[in-house]
Amino acid sequence: MEKGIIETILNKRPLIISGPCSAETEDQVLQTASGLAQTGKVDILRAGIWKPRTRPGSFEGIGTKGLPWLQQVKKYIGLPSAVEVATSRQVQDAMHFDIDLLWIGARTTVNPFSVQEIADALKGSDIPVFIKNPINPDLELWTGAVERIAKAGIKTIGLIHRGFSSYGNTEYRNAPMWHLAIEMKRRHPELTMICDPSHICGNRSTIPGIVQKAVDLNYDGLIIESHINPDEAWSDAKQQITPENLLELLNSITWRFETTSETEFQTALVTLREQINQVDDELLLLLGRRMKISEQIGLYKKDNNITILQTNRWNEILEKALSKGKQFELSREFITKYLEAIHLESIQHQNRVMNKLK
Ligand code: PEP
Ligand code: MN
């Protein structure tokens, strides 16, 4: 597709990219694309051609053989296409078959060697490239990938927020950690940023909530996995939805895209409130952890017959916090009240473990 047309498509808001996790067969690709085109809401077809799988033996992608299917989609259905690339060979193959947009997967963004290899292969081309966040919560790696691709001369770069792996996380396949994406957008306000709820959620049921949140946070668009027959998908079956479900989902969302100053203000407010919520969650998590450590200390004190309250230690904590608090412009009064409350709760936790009957 002509460069100008792709640019116009990429500037549409909300930008909607959808399609199967993996291209499997020509029929599956064409049928899914045709369902998506019928929704009237999808701008670009995504399809994984080479799949980075955590364990060997699962479906590792149809490979170059699937690229002509995407040409068919463009010719007969009119949708441009996007594929994931991880090596220079894949970049060359994708460009040879006129793919319109490339994306770098989360497992590739973590590796500067791979990102540089892709950047080198891209030199001299003007294909748009979207970069997923790395699997680990490290904004420097994400920024580094943006810089490498930009240095190769790519002018149109986008960001895809697909969540971060975290040990023992159960609610989401990849924890969204919204504050990191917000910070990335703050660092690179000129880059289009879209959300990938499919890989954040890992299942169908939680997708709508994540999509609404991304819309509330003023993301530029979405990349959502869809499949003509999700339950039979060769990869990521649990998180894919049918084109009809995609339409229902997009219709159920409250969009906040008007650009009056009033809504801009509302969006800014929602963004800031979201940051506050995130920080509050983290504070509670840390407080919970602090109490667990107190309980462990309680057990030691119990075994060694030491009293709970140790004045010296407490004064030391207070002094430290007062001087640190000053650095962050936190008043003496606040720090004192805050620490008293923590201290009280901590003593209660220690009490509980020390007086528990064996
Ligand atoms: C994908 O988009 O199918 C994919 C492999 O995603 P991620 O790189 O986010 O894991
Ligand atoms: Mn997938």
Side-chain angles (χ1 to χ4, degrees):
M1 225 171 247
E2 248 180 65
K3 178 78 181 151
I5 302 180
I6 283 296
E7 289 300 325
T8 309
I9 292 173
L10 289 176
N11 284 324
K12 179 182 154 273
R13 296 292 176 264
L15 172 67
I16 308 289
I17 303 177
S18 188
C21 176
S22 305
E24 299 162 4
T25 65
E26 186 167 2
D27 270 2
Q28 169 249 7
V29 168
L30 286 166
Q31 283 182 34
T32 307
S34 135
L36 292 173
Q38 277 170 39
T39 67
K41 306 236 180 220
V42 174
D43 306 299
I44 299 173
L45 179 80
R46 64 148 281 156
I49 292 289
W50 303 280
K51 301 302 299 178
R53 305 311 298 275
T54 304
R55 306 275 302 271
S58 11
F59 177 56
E60 297 195 336
I62 201 73
T64 310
K65 178 181 158 197
L67 290 171
W69 306 340
L70 301 177
Q71 286 181 312
Q72 303 277 359
V73 168
K74 192 152 34 182
K75 185 161 171 198
Y76 297 110
I77 302 174
L79 282 179
S81 56
V83 304
E84 171 178 348
V85 288
T87 66
S88 60
R89 183 62 205 264
Q90 292 170 3
V91 171
Q92 286 154 15
D93 285 356
M95 294 206 290
H96 179 75
F97 286 94
D98 307 317
I99 299 303
D100 302 282
L101 179 121
L102 303 177
W103 86 80
I104 296 179
R107 289 166 191 75
T108 305
T109 309
V110 288
N111 185 343
F113 287 136
S114 300
V115 176
Q116 191 56 51
E117 178 182 328
I118 294 169
D120 292 341
L122 285 167
K123 277 190 187 134
S125 112
D126 61 357
I127 189 164
V129 178
F130 277 41
I131 304 172
K132 286 200 174 195
N133 65 256
I135 38 182
N136 53 324
D138 182 342
L139 291 190
E140 295 310 313
L141 272 175
W142 202 0
T143 295
V146 169
E147 288 167 350
R148 286 177 199 277
I149 299 302
K151 271 196 179 156
I154 297 298
K155 295 273 175 296
T156 310
I157 298 178
L159 301 170
I160 303 175
H161 172 213
R162 52 78 79 194
F164 301 86
S165 29
S166 74
Y167 188 71
N169 178 53
T170 50
E171 192 183 359
Y172 296 111
R173 180 176 175 192
N174 292 291
M177 304 191 190
W178 296 101
H179 60 299
L180 293 182
I182 291 167
E183 169 60 13
M184 191 66 182
K185 181 73 186 168
R186 196 191 61 74
R187 288 189 192 182
H188 305 279
E190 73 291 357
L191 302 185
T192 298
M193 183 157 82
I194 65 176
C195 179
D196 175 348
S198 308
H199 290 91
I200 288 179
C201 296
N203 67 67
R204 281 166 215 142
S205 62
T206 47
I207 291 179
I210 292 291
V211 170
Q212 185 64 62
K213 194 134 183 174
V215 169
D216 291 345
L217 288 172
N218 205 20
Y219 277 54
D220 297 307
L222 302 161
I223 176 165
I224 302 184
E225 285 187 344
S226 58
H227 192 287
I228 201 70
N229 190 356
D231 288 333
E232 301 298 320
W234 299 359
S235 61
D236 286 352
K238 285 206 220 103
Q239 71 195 32
Q240 303 204 58
I241 59 176
T242 61
E244 293 75 31
N245 289 152
L246 178 75
L247 181 61
E248 282 168 28
L249 168 68
L250 295 177
N251 284 336
S252 73
I253 297 299
T254 310
W255 297 93
R256 310 183 206 274
F257 272 97
E258 296 95 314
T259 50
T260 66
S261 55
E262 171 64 9
T263 46
E264 262 174 29
F265 162 74
Q266 287 298 344
T267 315
L269 204 64
V270 170
T271 310
L272 290 170
R273 285 188 174 148
E274 182 48 46
Q275 291 182 39
I276 293 262
N277 290 346
Q278 189 66 41
V279 173
D280 280 349
D281 279 357
E282 281 169 23
L283 281 175
L284 288 179
L285 193 87
L286 288 176
L287 284 173
R289 266 196 214 150
R290 193 193 189 284
M291 294 308 155
K292 285 276 167 288
I293 299 175
S294 286
E295 287 173 14
Q296 280 177 4
I297 292 182
L299 286 177
Y300 276 113
K301 287 183 180 167
K302 178 181 180 181
D303 290 346
N304 296 290
N305 270 330
I306 297 173
T307 58
I308 290 185
L309 186 65
Q310 293 185 296
T311 326
N312 284 348
R313 166 75 181 140
W314 185 244
N315 284 339
E316 182 198 327
I317 291 180
L318 189 62
E319 280 315 312
K320 240 192 192 149
L322 283 172
S323 80
K324 205 151 204 159
K326 216 170 167 184
Q327 275 176 37
F328 301 120
E329 295 177 32
L330 299 170
S331 73
R332 226 188 139 79
E333 191 197 355
F334 169 72
I335 294 284
T336 317
K337 273 194 193 147
Y338 158 78
L339 274 184
E340 269 167 18
I342 289 197
H343 193 203
L344 214 67
E345 182 71 12
S346 209
I347 286 178
Q348 273 167 19
H349 277 254
Q350 290 202 356
N351 237 332
R352 216 181 296 151
V353 293
M354 288 179 81
N355 296 321
K356 209 181 253 168
L357 292 175
K358 269 202 177 150

PDB file of all heavy atoms in Angstrom, residues 27-51:
ATOM      1  N   ASP A  27      -7.377 -20.127   4.438  1.00  0.00           N
ATOM      2  CA  ASP A  27      -8.805 -19.925   4.726  1.00  0.00           C
ATOM      3  C   ASP A  27      -9.025 -19.170   6.028  1.00  0.00           C
ATOM      4  O   ASP A  27      -9.832 -18.255   6.098  1.00  0.00           O
ATOM      5  CB  ASP A  27      -9.510 -21.289   4.861  1.00  0.00           C
ATOM      6  CG  ASP A  27     -10.034 -21.731   3.513  1.00  0.00           C
ATOM      7  OD1 ASP A  27      -9.801 -20.996   2.532  1.00  0.00           O
ATOM      8  OD2 ASP A  27     -10.651 -22.818   3.455  1.00  0.00           O
ATOM      9  N   GLN A  28      -8.313 -19.630   7.057  1.00  0.00           N
ATOM     10  CA  GLN A  28      -8.483 -18.986   8.377  1.00  0.00           C
ATOM     11  C   GLN A  28      -8.143 -17.505   8.303  1.00  0.00           C
ATOM     12  O   GLN A  28      -8.847 -16.654   8.843  1.00  0.00           O
ATOM     13  CB  GLN A  28      -7.592 -19.715   9.409  1.00  0.00           C
ATOM     14  CG  GLN A  28      -7.445 -19.016  10.750  1.00  0.00           C
ATOM     15  CD  GLN A  28      -6.030 -18.487  10.967  1.00  0.00           C
ATOM     16  OE1 GLN A  28      -5.188 -18.538  10.060  1.00  0.00           O
ATOM     17  NE2 GLN A  28      -5.766 -17.977  12.164  1.00  0.00           N
ATOM     18  N   VAL A  29      -7.047 -17.177   7.584  1.00  0.00           N
ATOM     19  CA  VAL A  29      -6.637 -15.774   7.476  1.00  0.00           C
ATOM     20  C   VAL A  29      -7.680 -14.974   6.686  1.00  0.00           C
ATOM     21  O   VAL A  29      -8.125 -13.903   7.124  1.00  0.00           O
ATOM     22  CB  VAL A  29      -5.241 -15.661   6.821  1.00  0.00           C
ATOM     23  CG1 VAL A  29      -4.929 -14.225   6.446  1.00  0.00           C
ATOM     24  CG2 VAL A  29      -4.171 -16.211   7.759  1.00  0.00           C
ATOM     25  N   LEU A  30      -8.101 -15.517   5.559  1.00  0.00           N
ATOM     26  CA  LEU A  30      -9.047 -14.768   4.711  1.00  0.00           C
ATOM     27  C   LEU A  30     -10.409 -14.625   5.393  1.00  0.00           C
ATOM     28  O   LEU A  30     -11.024 -13.560   5.357  1.00  0.00           O
ATOM     29  CB  LEU A  30      -9.188 -15.434   3.342  1.00  0.00           C
ATOM     30  CG  LEU A  30      -7.966 -15.206   2.442  1.00  0.00           C
ATOM     31  CD1 LEU A  30      -7.972 -16.128   1.243  1.00  0.00           C
ATOM     32  CD2 LEU A  30      -7.886 -13.750   1.980  1.00  0.00           C
ATOM     33  N   GLN A  31     -10.866 -15.686   6.034  1.00  0.00           N
ATOM     34  CA  GLN A  31     -12.174 -15.597   6.698  1.00  0.00           C
ATOM     35  C   GLN A  31     -12.142 -14.623   7.879  1.00  0.00           C
ATOM     36  O   GLN A  31     -13.071 -13.852   8.087  1.00  0.00           O
ATOM     37  CB  GLN A  31     -12.614 -16.974   7.197  1.00  0.00           C
ATOM     38  CG  GLN A  31     -13.133 -17.852   6.073  1.00  0.00           C
ATOM     39  CD  GLN A  31     -13.604 -19.197   6.613  1.00  0.00           C
ATOM     40  OE1 GLN A  31     -14.122 -19.283   7.722  1.00  0.00           O
ATOM     41  NE2 GLN A  31     -13.407 -20.250   5.837  1.00  0.00           N
ATOM     42  N   THR A  32     -11.058 -14.699   8.645  1.00  0.00           N
ATOM     43  CA  THR A  32     -10.959 -13.773   9.788  1.00  0.00           C
ATOM     44  C   THR A  32     -10.915 -12.341   9.271  1.00  0.00           C
ATOM     45  O   THR A  32     -11.635 -11.466   9.763  1.00  0.00           O
ATOM     46  CB  THR A  32      -9.702 -14.088  10.639  1.00  0.00           C
ATOM     47  OG1 THR A  32      -9.721 -15.473  10.992  1.00  0.00           O
ATOM     48  CG2 THR A  32      -9.669 -13.245  11.902  1.00  0.00           C
ATOM     49  N   ALA A  33     -10.076 -12.106   8.244  1.00  0.00           N
ATOM     50  CA  ALA A  33      -9.941 -10.745   7.705  1.00  0.00           C
ATOM     51  C   ALA A  33     -11.267 -10.251   7.157  1.00  0.00           C
ATOM     52  O   ALA A  33     -11.636  -9.078   7.351  1.00  0.00           O
ATOM     53  CB  ALA A  33      -8.878 -10.721   6.612  1.00  0.00           C
ATOM     54  N   SER A  34     -12.018 -11.147   6.514  1.00  0.00           N
ATOM     55  CA  SER A  34     -13.275 -10.695   5.943  1.00  0.00           C
ATOM     56  C   SER A  34     -14.273 -10.352   7.052  1.00  0.00           C
ATOM     57  O   SER A  34     -14.968  -9.332   6.988  1.00  0.00           O
ATOM     58  CB  SER A  34     -13.758 -11.759   4.945  1.00  0.00           C
ATOM     59  OG  SER A  34     -15.083 -12.030   5.094  1.00  0.00           O
ATOM     60  N   GLY A  35     -14.304 -11.166   8.120  1.00  0.00           N
ATOM     61  CA  GLY A  35     -15.156 -10.844   9.280  1.00  0.00           C
ATOM     62  C   GLY A  35     -14.768  -9.505   9.889  1.00  0.00           C
ATOM     63  O   GLY A  35     -15.619  -8.696  10.267  1.00  0.00           O
ATOM     64  N   LEU A  36     -13.478  -9.263   9.973  1.00  0.00           N
ATOM     65  CA  LEU A  36     -13.002  -8.012  10.586  1.00  0.00           C
ATOM     66  C   LEU A  36     -13.359  -6.811   9.710  1.00  0.00           C
ATOM     67  O   LEU A  36     -13.766  -5.764  10.214  1.00  0.00           O
ATOM     68  CB  LEU A  36     -11.483  -8.070  10.809  1.00  0.00           C
ATOM     69  CG  LEU A  36     -11.027  -9.072  11.880  1.00  0.00           C
ATOM     70  CD1 LEU A  36      -9.503  -9.180  11.899  1.00  0.00           C
ATOM     71  CD2 LEU A  36     -11.543  -8.665  13.263  1.00  0.00           C
ATOM     72  N   ALA A  37     -13.210  -6.991   8.388  1.00  0.00           N
ATOM     73  CA  ALA A  37     -13.539  -5.888   7.476  1.00  0.00           C
ATOM     74  C   ALA A  37     -15.022  -5.549   7.595  1.00  0.00           C
ATOM     75  O   ALA A  37     -15.408  -4.375   7.582  1.00  0.00           O
ATOM     76  CB  ALA A  37     -13.173  -6.252   6.046  1.00  0.00           C
ATOM     77  N   GLN A  38     -15.853  -6.597   7.764  1.00  0.00           N
ATOM     78  CA  GLN A  38     -17.302  -6.355   7.884  1.00  0.00           C
ATOM     79  C   GLN A  38     -17.684  -5.546   9.116  1.00  0.00           C
ATOM     80  O   GLN A  38     -18.736  -4.923   9.149  1.00  0.00           O
ATOM     81  CB  GLN A  38     -18.048  -7.681   7.918  1.00  0.00           C
ATOM     82  CG  GLN A  38     -18.297  -8.243   6.524  1.00  0.00           C
ATOM     83  CD  GLN A  38     -18.817  -9.668   6.581  1.00  0.00           C
ATOM     84  OE1 GLN A  38     -19.628  -9.997   7.441  1.00  0.00           O
ATOM     85  NE2 GLN A  38     -18.323 -10.504   5.687  1.00  0.00           N
ATOM     86  N   THR A  39     -16.853  -5.573  10.142  1.00  0.00           N
ATOM     87  CA  THR A  39     -17.189  -4.773  11.335  1.00  0.00           C
ATOM     88  C   THR A  39     -17.113  -3.282  10.993  1.00  0.00           C
ATOM     89  O   THR A  39     -17.716  -2.464  11.666  1.00  0.00           O
ATOM     90  CB  THR A  39     -16.207  -5.030  12.510  1.00  0.00           C
ATOM     91  OG1 THR A  39     -14.905  -4.524  12.141  1.00  0.00           O
ATOM     92  CG2 THR A  39     -16.105  -6.494  12.867  1.00  0.00           C
ATOM     93  N   GLY A  40     -16.331  -2.951   9.975  1.00  0.00           N
ATOM     94  CA  GLY A  40     -16.173  -1.547   9.598  1.00  0.00           C
ATOM     95  C   GLY A  40     -15.313  -0.763  10.580  1.00  0.00           C
ATOM     96  O   GLY A  40     -15.208   0.453  10.490  1.00  0.00           O
ATOM     97  N   LYS A  41     -14.713  -1.446  11.525  1.00  0.00           N
ATOM     98  CA  LYS A  41     -13.962  -0.728  12.564  1.00  0.00           C
ATOM     99  C   LYS A  41     -12.474  -1.045  12.550  1.00  0.00           C
ATOM    100  O   LYS A  41     -11.706  -0.458  13.314  1.00  0.00           O
ATOM    101  CB  LYS A  41     -14.490  -1.123  13.949  1.00  0.00           C
ATOM    102  CG  LYS A  41     -15.956  -0.939  14.121  1.00  0.00           C
ATOM    103  CD  LYS A  41     -16.247  -0.056  15.309  1.00  0.00           C
ATOM    104  CE  LYS A  41     -17.747   0.125  15.465  1.00  0.00           C
ATOM    105  NZ  LYS A  41     -18.080   1.472  15.838  1.00  0.00           N
ATOM    106  N   VAL A  42     -12.083  -2.046  11.772  1.00  0.00           N
ATOM    107  CA  VAL A  42     -10.694  -2.498  11.852  1.00  0.00           C
ATOM    108  C   VAL A  42      -9.864  -1.851  10.748  1.00  0.00           C
ATOM    109  O   VAL A  42     -10.265  -1.822   9.584  1.00  0.00           O
ATOM    110  CB  VAL A  42     -10.620  -4.041  11.786  1.00  0.00           C
ATOM    111  CG1 VAL A  42      -9.190  -4.525  11.733  1.00  0.00           C
ATOM    112  CG2 VAL A  42     -11.354  -4.634  12.985  1.00  0.00           C
ATOM    113  N   ASP A  43      -8.692  -1.319  11.125  1.00  0.00           N
ATOM    114  CA  ASP A  43      -7.867  -0.588  10.168  1.00  0.00           C
ATOM    115  C   ASP A  43      -6.749  -1.433   9.574  1.00  0.00           C
ATOM    116  O   ASP A  43      -6.335  -1.238   8.443  1.00  0.00           O
ATOM    117  CB  ASP A  43      -7.243   0.630  10.865  1.00  0.00           C
ATOM    118  CG  ASP A  43      -8.329   1.471  11.521  1.00  0.00           C
ATOM    119  OD1 ASP A  43      -9.197   1.957  10.783  1.00  0.00           O
ATOM    120  OD2 ASP A  43      -8.324   1.598  12.757  1.00  0.00           O
ATOM    121  N   ILE A  44      -6.229  -2.356  10.380  1.00  0.00           N
ATOM    122  CA  ILE A  44      -5.074  -3.147   9.936  1.00  0.00           C
ATOM    123  C   ILE A  44      -5.252  -4.579  10.433  1.00  0.00           C
ATOM    124  O   ILE A  44      -5.696  -4.798  11.572  1.00  0.00           O
ATOM    125  CB  ILE A  44      -3.758  -2.559  10.503  1.00  0.00           C
ATOM    126  CG1 ILE A  44      -3.558  -1.117   9.993  1.00  0.00           C
ATOM    127  CG2 ILE A  44      -2.553  -3.434  10.170  1.00  0.00           C
ATOM    128  CD1 ILE A  44      -2.382  -0.390  10.621  1.00  0.00           C
ATOM    129  N   LEU A  45      -4.890  -5.548   9.587  1.00  0.00           N
ATOM    130  CA  LEU A  45      -4.930  -6.954  10.007  1.00  0.00           C
ATOM    131  C   LEU A  45      -3.585  -7.320  10.626  1.00  0.00           C
ATOM    132  O   LEU A  45      -2.533  -7.052  10.034  1.00  0.00           O
ATOM    133  CB  LEU A  45      -5.176  -7.864   8.802  1.00  0.00           C
ATOM    134  CG  LEU A  45      -5.201  -9.354   9.142  1.00  0.00           C
ATOM    135  CD1 LEU A  45      -6.548  -9.763   9.730  1.00  0.00           C
ATOM    136  CD2 LEU A  45      -4.862 -10.218   7.924  1.00  0.00           C
ATOM    137  N   ARG A  46      -3.614  -7.916  11.811  1.00  0.00           N
ATOM    138  CA  ARG A  46      -2.386  -8.463  12.385  1.00  0.00           C
ATOM    139  C   ARG A  46      -2.399  -9.969  12.179  1.00  0.00           C
ATOM    140  O   ARG A  46      -3.470 -10.588  12.151  1.00  0.00           O
ATOM    141  CB  ARG A  46      -2.238  -8.153  13.875  1.00  0.00           C
ATOM    142  CG  ARG A  46      -3.290  -8.773  14.778  1.00  0.00           C
ATOM    143  CD  ARG A  46      -2.769  -9.134  16.169  1.00  0.00           C
ATOM    144  NE  ARG A  46      -2.006 -10.389  16.149  1.00  0.00           N
ATOM    145  CZ  ARG A  46      -1.091 -10.699  17.045  1.00  0.00           C
ATOM    146  NH1 ARG A  46      -0.805  -9.881  18.019  1.00  0.00           N
ATOM    147  NH2 ARG A  46      -0.449 -11.860  16.964  1.00  0.00           N
ATOM    148  N   ALA A  47      -1.225 -10.572  12.019  1.00  0.00           N
ATOM    149  CA  ALA A  47      -1.135 -12.029  11.967  1.00  0.00           C
ATOM    150  C   ALA A  47       0.310 -12.412  12.265  1.00  0.00           C
ATOM    151  O   ALA A  47       1.232 -11.894  11.644  1.00  0.00           O
ATOM    152  CB  ALA A  47      -1.543 -12.547  10.591  1.00  0.00           C
ATOM    153  N   GLY A  48       0.482 -13.294  13.237  1.00  0.00           N
ATOM    154  CA  GLY A  48       1.827 -13.770  13.547  1.00  0.00           C
ATOM    155  C   GLY A  48       2.248 -14.802  12.514  1.00  0.00           C
ATOM    156  O   GLY A  48       1.515 -15.762  12.248  1.00  0.00           O
ATOM    157  N   ILE A  49       3.412 -14.594  11.923  1.00  0.00           N
ATOM    158  CA  ILE A  49       3.924 -15.506  10.887  1.00  0.00           C
ATOM    159  C   ILE A  49       5.035 -16.368  11.499  1.00  0.00           C
ATOM    160  O   ILE A  49       5.137 -17.560  11.257  1.00  0.00           O
ATOM    161  CB  ILE A  49       4.460 -14.679   9.700  1.00  0.00           C
ATOM    162  CG1 ILE A  49       3.305 -13.968   8.984  1.00  0.00           C
ATOM    163  CG2 ILE A  49       5.288 -15.525   8.746  1.00  0.00           C
ATOM    164  CD1 ILE A  49       2.389 -14.882   8.190  1.00  0.00           C
ATOM    165  N   TRP A  50       5.857 -15.724  12.324  1.00  0.00           N
ATOM    166  CA  TRP A  50       6.902 -16.427  13.079  1.00  0.00           C
ATOM    167  C   TRP A  50       6.558 -16.223  14.542  1.00  0.00           C
ATOM    168  O   TRP A  50       6.438 -15.077  15.006  1.00  0.00           O
ATOM    169  CB  TRP A  50       8.282 -15.829  12.775  1.00  0.00           C
ATOM    170  CG  TRP A  50       8.612 -15.865  11.313  1.00  0.00           C
ATOM    171  CD1 TRP A  50       9.079 -16.934  10.609  1.00  0.00           C
ATOM    172  CD2 TRP A  50       8.491 -14.774  10.358  1.00  0.00           C
ATOM    173  NE1 TRP A  50       9.264 -16.583   9.288  1.00  0.00           N
ATOM    174  CE2 TRP A  50       8.914 -15.279   9.108  1.00  0.00           C
ATOM    175  CE3 TRP A  50       8.081 -13.452  10.441  1.00  0.00           C
ATOM    176  CZ2 TRP A  50       8.935 -14.487   7.954  1.00  0.00           C
ATOM    177  CZ3 TRP A  50       8.086 -12.665   9.305  1.00  0.00           C
ATOM    178  CH2 TRP A  50       8.514 -13.182   8.068  1.00  0.00           C
ATOM    179  N   LYS A  51       6.362 -17.299  15.280  1.00  0.00           N
ATOM    180  CA  LYS A  51       5.896 -17.158  16.654  1.00  0.00           C
ATOM    181  C   LYS A  51       6.980 -17.485  17.665  1.00  0.00           C
ATOM    182  O   LYS A  51       7.519 -18.595  17.661  1.00  0.00           O
ATOM    183  CB  LYS A  51       4.710 -18.108  16.903  1.00  0.00           C
ATOM    184  CG  LYS A  51       3.514 -17.888  16.006  1.00  0.00           C
ATOM    185  CD  LYS A  51       2.959 -16.475  16.103  1.00  0.00           C
ATOM    186  CE  LYS A  51       2.484 -16.108  17.483  1.00  0.00           C
ATOM    187  NZ  LYS A  51       2.011 -14.699  17.520  1.00  0.00           N
TER     188      LYS A  51
END
